[in-house]
Structure formats: C-alpha cells, structure tokens
Amino acid sequence: MTNHINRRVVLAKRPEGELRHGDLVMEEAPVPALNDGELLIQVIWLSLDPYMRPRMSEIKGYAQPIAIGEVIVGGSLGRVIASKSNQFEIGNIVTCYTGWQEYCVVPDSIDGLHKVAPEDISLSAFLGAAGMPGRTAYCGLTYLGKPKAGETVVVSAAAGAVGSAVGQLAKLEGCRAVGIAGGADKCRYLTEDLGFDAAVDYKSPDFLAELQAACPNGIDVYFENVGGDVAKAVAQLLNPGARVPICGYVSAYNAEDLNAIETPMHIFGALDPTPEHRFFLVGEWQQQHDEHTALLAGLVKSGQLKYQETVAEGLENAAEAFKGMLRGKNLGKQLVRIAD
C-alpha cells in the first residue's frame, strides 16, 4: 500500500439517454503497492471524448462495455511518481488509458502507454492536436479520405478536437476545407482562426442550401463525426468516387437504444452509387503511433496546426463537462485538469 488515496469515477448504472445523477459515482480507495514491472502514474490531464458514452451502454460495439463498478475509460497524461520498471523512471511524462481517476498503477507492458517528448509545446496538446484526436484526424483523412489537391473536404463537428484538425490537415493538402458546426461563433472560429474556406451552421433552417453553396463543386471527402440529419444532407452532395471515413456519430450517443438507430453505415451504404465508406479506429495504425505523434507535434510547434481547449477543473467536474461536450458546449478539445 502507498500513502496515496485515489479518487476515481465508476459506472454505477447504465445511463438511459443523457447521463443523470447517480449513473456515475466517485469512489476513494488506497493506491496499492507496486509489483515488479509496474509504475504509479499521477494523472495531470484527463481527456474527455465522445466514444466514452457508447462504452457506458450495454450494446454491441468495437469494444466491450464498461462493467458496472468499473472506472470510466479514458485517455490521460500524467507523471510517473513511483516505479519498479526498468523502462520508466520517476518524473517521466506519459500518456496512458488510465480512465477517470487521479492515480493509476499499470504494468510497463500495458497497451497505450507512451513516453512524451514535450517538443516545446503544451503537455495538454498530447491529448488533443498532437494526441489521439489529432492522430484520428490524420489517419482517417490520409489513409481513408485520400484527399487530392483541389478536392472539397467536408468535416462535421468541425469545431471539436478531431474535426478542427481534419480541416487544417486538408488545407495543407491543397484542398477546399468546409466545416459543419453548431452556431455562428464556432463557424467564425473555423474560418477566421483556423483558415477553413467555409463553415456551415447545421442549426440553420437553410442548412442544406448553405452547405450546397459552400460546396459548389460537390463533396469529394466527408469526414463523419455526427451522423443523423447532417449525414443525410451531406449524402445528397457527394461526388462520384467520394470517400467517407466514419469516425463516429455523436448525434445518436444519448439515444436510449443505440442498437435501433440509423447509423452512417446505413445512410451511405444505401446510396447509389455507394461511396467508399467505413468505420475506423485510430488503433488500426498503432504501429505508427510515435511517427504520427511526432509529425503532429511538429505541426503544432510550427503553428500549422492550431487548436483550442475547453478545460474543467477537478475530477469532480468531469461528468458535467462530459455532458456539455456531448451537447456541443465545448470549443476544441475537452479536458479535465486533475493536477498541476
């Protein structure tokens, strides 16, 4: 047993629709002593991401649901404060899937554990533009979207951590970048701060017409984050030979029965001709993790990849921040600061 007390957020019951009081609860427990080959991480930053919501439901998916009583899944960045590993030293900064908790004991062989080389950029960027969201944007766009100079790339949830990176990376490839976001402020952020060619408010009553005006030559690549009515509008404007990387469909994540909804796979699979489309996970390119992270960190450092963060303070505020993120209240990457 160590001298540290760990606070962690666990799944108390499966949410029905939006998270409610009592679905998630905070627990305290002593941090166990280390065994050989283990290290103790103090979490500094916790990443909040849409994929966490389906994992709370008992549905068939790409990963097992979180079990009742288990810590909520999530990526984090932290500091090694004790080690019985030959690979990690006290003081090392690491990224790891520790979940929603303040301390975590992990074996040095666990998947997803990586040392961070700061590269003169903010440590929090390694959970955002230079982290999993940035790698998701890069891999989905590069390997599945396959953008060519002069093509039109459209991305939904464009003011979020993944979407904002997709548009900027598309611009670096010489494409026309069009973002779909909720509200005038987010749309201005995309065009004025991030350099998107156009941004369309999905809340507008003339959304389809405005999207069509923003994409006068149709849509060649659609990076899907939202699903639902947004996907149906985009589907009408796809060019022959279009590619649709499907990252997620956050519009449905609070549905009471996720197994019953119409997914982007249904929407795009029903088109004739059918565009090249599939759901993907960034882990498909795990072997290139360090290469992609270094590339993105370099773009952040040079100013070619800009980002925003929305920060909640303290683990006790993670649930409310998570609910707000699913409603689109965040700008850029949603983080929780756990420690200094």
Side-chain angles (χ1 to χ4, degrees):
M1 205 74 67
T2 69
N3 294 324
H4 300 285
I5 298 297
N6 183 34
R7 295 196 306 164
R8 59 188 188 182
V9 177
V10 303
L11 184 65
K13 60 180 182 179
R14 302 210 178 274
E16 296 179 3
E18 186 172 300
L19 284 176
R20 295 180 176 87
H21 180 72
D23 292 341
L24 310 182
V25 298
M26 184 91 75
E27 292 182 346
E28 292 187 359
V31 174
L34 299 185
N35 296 313
D36 289 342
E38 293 183 333
L39 53 147
L40 172 58
I41 300 169
Q42 181 184 20
V43 177
I44 301 172
W45 290 101
L46 170 66
S47 172
L48 299 184
D49 299 283
Y51 76 84
M52 298 170 179
R53 177 59 187 86
R55 295 285 302 276
M56 298 177 192
S57 300
E58 199 166 29
I59 63 167
K60 298 175 182 177
Y62 66 87
Q64 288 294 321
I66 302 167
I68 299 298
E70 280 190 353
V71 176
I72 304 302
V73 297
S76 64
L77 178 141
R79 179 187 300 106
V80 177
I81 61 172
S83 176
K84 285 194 173 182
S85 164
N86 295 325
Q87 302 177 45
F88 293 86
E89 300 176 353
I90 293 174
N92 284 161
I93 302 297
V94 298
T95 52
C96 186
Y97 286 90
T98 63
W100 292 26
Q101 55 187 336
E102 294 178 329
Y103 297 92
C104 189
V105 174
V106 298
D108 58 18
S109 58
I110 192 172
D111 289 342
L113 177 63
H114 297 273
K115 292 180 185 177
V116 167
E119 299 286 352
D120 297 325
I121 64 174
S122 168
L123 288 177
S124 59
F126 288 96
L127 292 180
M132 184 274 288
R135 290 190 298 273
T136 299
Y138 179 81
C139 292
L141 180 66
T142 302
Y143 301 121
L144 301 184
K146 295 171 284 191
K148 305 177 185 67
E151 291 189 323
T152 295
V153 175
V154 173
V155 57
S156 54
V162 173
S164 60
V166 168
Q168 293 177 83
L169 292 170
K171 289 295 295 178
L172 292 175
E173 294 295 328
C175 297
R176 176 174 175 79
V178 178
I180 300 172
D185 289 343
K186 288 186 176 181
C187 288
R188 277 194 297 271
Y189 165 66
L190 294 177
T191 56
E192 295 178 7
D193 294 349
L194 300 188
F196 280 58
D197 294 287
V200 184
D201 184 356
Y202 73 84
K203 298 179 181 179
S204 169
D206 299 317
F207 170 59
L208 178 57
E210 292 171 9
L211 181 62
Q212 193 163 17
C215 305
N217 297 317
I219 297 171
D220 300 295
V221 180
Y222 173 50
F223 195 105
E224 172 68 291
N225 288 311
V226 169
D229 291 339
V230 170
K232 291 177 183 178
V234 169
Q236 300 177 53
L237 305 178
L238 292 178
N239 289 328
R243 289 83 67 197
V244 182
I246 301 173
C247 177
Y249 43 103
V250 70
S251 66
Y253 286 174
N254 278 328
E256 292 192 8
D257 184 1
L258 279 170
N259 288 317
I261 65 165
E262 185 180 25
T263 72
M265 293 295 291
H266 297 130
I267 294 169
F268 296 107
L271 297 178
D272 185 16
T274 303
E276 185 179 329
H277 68 287
R278 76 170 177 88
F279 179 74
F280 75 94
L281 298 172
V282 69
E284 297 173 36
W285 298 277
Q286 182 60 30
Q287 290 186 336
Q288 295 155 276
H289 175 282
D290 293 345
E291 173 191 339
H292 294 153
T293 299
L295 182 152
L296 293 162
L299 293 176
V300 170
K301 183 177 179 179
S302 69
Q304 294 174 280
L305 184 57
K306 301 176 182 178
Y307 65 93
Q308 282 282 350
E309 296 173 338
T310 300
V311 178
E313 297 290 345
L315 187 61
E316 62 275 9
N317 291 313
E320 283 303 314
F322 183 70
K323 288 192 287 185
M325 179 196 66
L326 291 179
R327 297 192 208 108
K329 289 188 174 182
N330 62 301
L331 180 62
K333 178 64 190 170
Q334 179 66 63
L335 296 166
V336 182
R337 194 196 324 264
I338 304 297
D340 292 331

